[in-house]
Each structure stands twice: as structure tokens, then as C-alpha cells.
Amino acid sequence: MTYMRALARSAQLLGLAVLVLVQFVGSVLPLAAGVITGLRLARVSTNRRRAQFGAWLGREIPEPYQAPPPPPEPDEEGLYRHDRTLYRSPWFPNYMHRLEWMVNDPATCRDLTWQLWFPLVVLLVVPIGLPVAPWAVRGVAAWSACLLRPATRVKRPRRTDRILLAWARCGLLFLSAVLQVAQLAVTLVCFTLGFGLGIIFLIPVGFTHFRWLANLRRQYAGWAGEPVERPYTPRLRPELRADGLYRVHKSLYKTEGMAEFNARWQWVWHDPATWRDLAWLGADAVVTGVLAGIPTLAGVYGAFGLALPWVWTQAFDAEWNTWYGAVAGNRTAGLVAGVLLTAGALAVAPAVLRLVSRWTPLLLRPTAKEQLRRRVERLTQSRADAVDAQAAEVRRIERDLHDGAQARLISVGLTLGAIERLMDTDPAAARRLVAQARETSQAALTELRDLVRGIHPPVLSERGLPDAVRALALDTAAEVTVAGRLTGRLPAPVESAAYFAVSELLANAVRHGHAEHVTVDIRHREGRLRVTVTDDGEGGADPSRGTGLRGIERRLGTFDGTLAVNSPGGGPTVATLEVPCALSSPKTSTS
């Protein structure tokens, strides 16, 4: 009876595979006006699958979706705002808010991932698993429940998971190398037609059509090292002159189209990164193809020969000694060979990733001249930001003094004048005014102390950065652990910038990440201050979406410092700031 029910459920899964595939296409390829409708219908259908698979597994699969946004509210003029545009009707702002809510919800990405892979998993598992249908059906249901349930906090992967992930990444690198061969052929065709037959518009295409893959490989270098920065110089644009002609360097053009083409031509031709990319396209196809191909093909060959003969002989009663995994007609020898190949592929995969991550920057990183140009540009911008920030800070201090301490001191002066007039005629009223003046002066003193502490905390000047951060941790709602020490004192401006950067990161961890424990590690190695702030919050921090992290970047950029944030959804969040600086001797430091 159990087996028959499993067969019926297997038939349901095959039907659902077709339905889910149609649902996926309807979710990702709708007309613009039907995006929300498509995603909403997909959620209704996916919720039914949650209930169905939960019933098969005997447990409930809760919905993971975020709460919908409230409807837009009109302003004083009765208009509704979306981004930087005002609308008379709330329809379009409400539509965009709901679209952003659905698209930015992590559960939507998980639903679409399940819809994409579900038909393939069913077609692979169900036919092969007919002899063990109950386990096959339960396995598909458990896999679906794992994807469709609410996302849990990301934990550090186990060693086995890291090895499997490294092997999968080697597979992606191998596919990238294969794709590079095809792109190299396209480049050669463009050059042949461009230089040989005079179809010159194909020459820039031959230089740039593979840049997306090069940029992708620059990101992949971060798998076992540091991501590589894009090295391209800013794109050249034609300049419109007063006489109506377009100028590109020293050449003039009548039409904008011809000027744009020549500007693009010169930009591509004179950019050193173009030629380095072209050299990488040919060389990396061989180097990465060999390095990543060995573990990839060995793992596929070993797993294929290890698993399929046994499934094949059990399901179809075929001759196993003629199948792929047999070695010299001996299934045991095939088993040993498959195990050795698979184990060897998994063992060398992490080392291969490290080798490829070291090889990739050799041709894809910016040249020394481009790095210098970017550093000058970044320092120029950071200096301008520092001047603006200093002017804003001066205005803030002036405003705080004017509205706070100055007003209280003026009040104290007026009160003292009233006391002088009442001293002889009404001593009791004079005593009350004396008490009031004392309270006002104490409030002014407190405001002045807070203002000074906001400019430069006294504990920072007296004890240095590590102890100042420990004092800051005492005022933080989360449990903060401060590790590390410095053998000397940092320059005062760097010390202040690092202190306020850590203060902002701790505030973000508690306010936005709802973290319960934060670790701050302070080190100074090889002429660089390195502070790492790790919290167990909800994650999702993105410098491009918040002014706080952008402010930290600007503050550190003044000293040629950097801020790197790794914050996947679910956490943990790791923020690392680095500032080049030297330590002074503890004996000569300010204390």
C-alpha cells in the first residue's frame, strides 16, 4: 500500500514538474504590467506546494515572506511620492512599492530557485528511483521543504561542505575556460573581418565582447583570495564645440555617431587593460582549463563510473561489465577506481582554487599606472569630502553651542542680574533664583562635556584606541568583546577616525542587525591598522544603500583607508577597516 501511494505521488511529481516549469516562465518573463500579478500567482501556487510537501513529510512548512509595505501616504499638497517624482494618483507609487517589496524579498529568490531546479530534480530522481519510490518521493519533498522554508541564519560551512563547494567552483571555472575558447574564436573572426576586409566596426567588438566574463572572473578570484578590481580607464566621450562639431582628442567630426565610434575606438585601443584582457583570454583558457579541468573531469568521471553501474544493473538488469564504471571487466576494480578518482578530485579542488586565484590577478588586475591614477582620484575625492565634513562639523558645533550652552549661559547671566536686584528687597526669591542659576550652569556644563566628547572623547586621548573601544562597548546594548592590542599609539587623526568608525559599526549592528554579540579585533601589522567588527545579527548590510557605511568610507578615505563589508542575508556580518599608518613609541605618545 505504501509503495502504491508512493507511485501515485511520483506521478504527481512528474505532473508538478511541468506545472512548475510553466510557473517559473510565467514568473520571470511576464509583461511589465503583469510582474506583480505573475509573482503573486506564483506565491499562491508555491504555498500550495508547501502545504502538500508538508503533509507528505508530516510537518508544517511556514511561509517565509516579508510583510507587505503600507500604502503610500499623500503629502501636504495631496501628491504621492516615489523616488524623486510626485504623482497625483497613488496607483503607480503603490505598484512600485509592492514590486520592490516582492523583488527584494529573499523568499522570492528562493522560490524562483526552487521553481528552476524542481523539474530537473524530479526528472532525474523519480524515474531512476522507481524501485525505491517511497524514499525517492520523500527525498524530493524534503529537498523542496529545505528551499521553501524561511531562511535560517547562515552558519560557517563544515569542512566537507567547503570541499564540495570548492569542487563545484572548479567546475564553474572549467566551464568558463571552455567558454573562453569560443569567445577567442569570435575575437579572431572580428579581427579577420575588421583588419582584413575593412569592417572596422567589428574591431572594438572583438576587444570588448568578452569583458563581462573577465569581470566575472575578477569576482571569482575572491573565492580563495581577494577580488580583483576592474582595471579599465574611464570611457572617452566626444566634446561638443561651440561651432557644432564634435571633438575627440585632436580630431573633429560633423556627426555625433562618427564621433562616438572614434571615441570608443580610441578608448579601447589605448587602454592597457584591453591588451591584457586579450592576453588573458588566450592564456587563461589553457591554464585554467588544465588546472580546473583535472578535478572537475576526475570527479565527474569517478562519480559517474561509481554510481551508475550499480543503478543500471539493478533497475534494468543490464550487463554491468560493459558499463562505464567497470575496469577490466571487474566491478570491484571499477568501484575502487571510482572512489580514488572522486576522493582525489575533492582533495585537490581547494588547492586548485588557490592557484587560479593567484593566477587571475597577473593579467586582470590594474596596471601600476592605473592604480596610481585611481589612488590620486580617490585621495582627491576623499580630501574634498573631508573638507565638506569638516565644514559641516564646524556648523554643527556652532549650532549646538548657539542653541545649547550659549543660551543657558545667557540665562544664567540674566538670572544673576535678577538676583542682584532682589538681594535686598526679597532675599527668599533671590535664593530661589540662585538655585535655578546653579541648575542652569550645571546643565550648560553637561552639554559642553557632551559636545567635547562628541568631538574627541577624552578616553581616546588618555588611553588610546583599544581602551576607548572597550569603554564604548560598555555603552552598547549588545555584548561586545574587544580583542587585540597595539604596541604604540596611532596618529591622533587616524585614531579618531577609527574610533568613530567602530562606534558607527556597533550602532548599526544593534540598531539594524539586532545583534546580540559583537567581536572587535584590533591589530597593527605591516604598517596598517586593521580593525574587524563581527556580529551575529541578521546581515544584509550594504554600503550602497546606507549613508552610515558611506560615511565611514569617506572618513577612512581621507587617510587612504578602506572598508570591506561581507554581510549575507541571515548573517553574520563582518566589517573590516584598514588604514595605512605607523605606530609611535608608547613612551612618546600622548597620555
Side-chain angles (χ1 to χ4, degrees), residues 393 449-462 489 492-493 495-497 499-500:
E393 186 69 9
R449 287 175 176 172
D450 293 339
L451 183 62
V452 172
R453 189 178 296 111
I455 298 174
H456 193 81
V459 65
L460 187 62
S461 301
E462 298 171 359
R489 289 297 298 269
E495 204 170 48
S496 177
Y499 172 83
F500 286 107

Side-chain angles (χ1 to χ4, degrees), residues 168-169 171-180 183 208-232 277 280-281 284 288 353 356-357 360-361 364-365:
R169 287 174 170 174
L172 286 177
L173 292 175
F174 178 70
L175 293 178
S176 170
V178 174
L179 182 59
Q180 286 173 231
Q183 291 189 319
T208 59
H209 73 94
F210 55 87
R211 279 190 175 183
W212 66 271
L213 183 60
N215 290 330
L216 195 63
R217 288 293 304 276
R218 291 183 176 98
Q219 296 179 12
Y220 288 174
W223 285 346
E226 293 293 332
V228 180
E229 188 179 4
R230 296 186 181 186
Y232 308 112
D277 280 3
W280 166 84
L281 185 65
D284 185 76
T288 301
L353 272 186
V356 174
S357 295
T360 300
L364 292 185
R365 66 188 173 191

Side-chain angles (χ1 to χ4, degrees), residues 385-424:
D385 292 340
V387 172
D388 294 341
Q390 183 179 12
E393 186 69 9
V394 170
R395 289 193 298 269
R396 183 188 68 83
I397 295 173
E398 180 183 8
R399 184 175 60 252
D400 290 346
L401 286 174
H402 181 273
D403 298 340
Q406 178 179 333
R408 295 186 183 277
L409 291 176
I410 292 175
S411 176
V412 169
L414 296 175
T415 304
L416 290 176
I419 292 172
E420 185 178 5
R421 291 192 299 272
L422 295 174
M423 186 69 69
D424 297 330

Side-chain angles (χ1 to χ4, degrees), residues 422-434:
L422 295 174
M423 186 69 69
D424 297 330
T425 60
D426 193 351
R431 283 194 293 271
R432 289 194 297 270
L433 291 177
V434 168

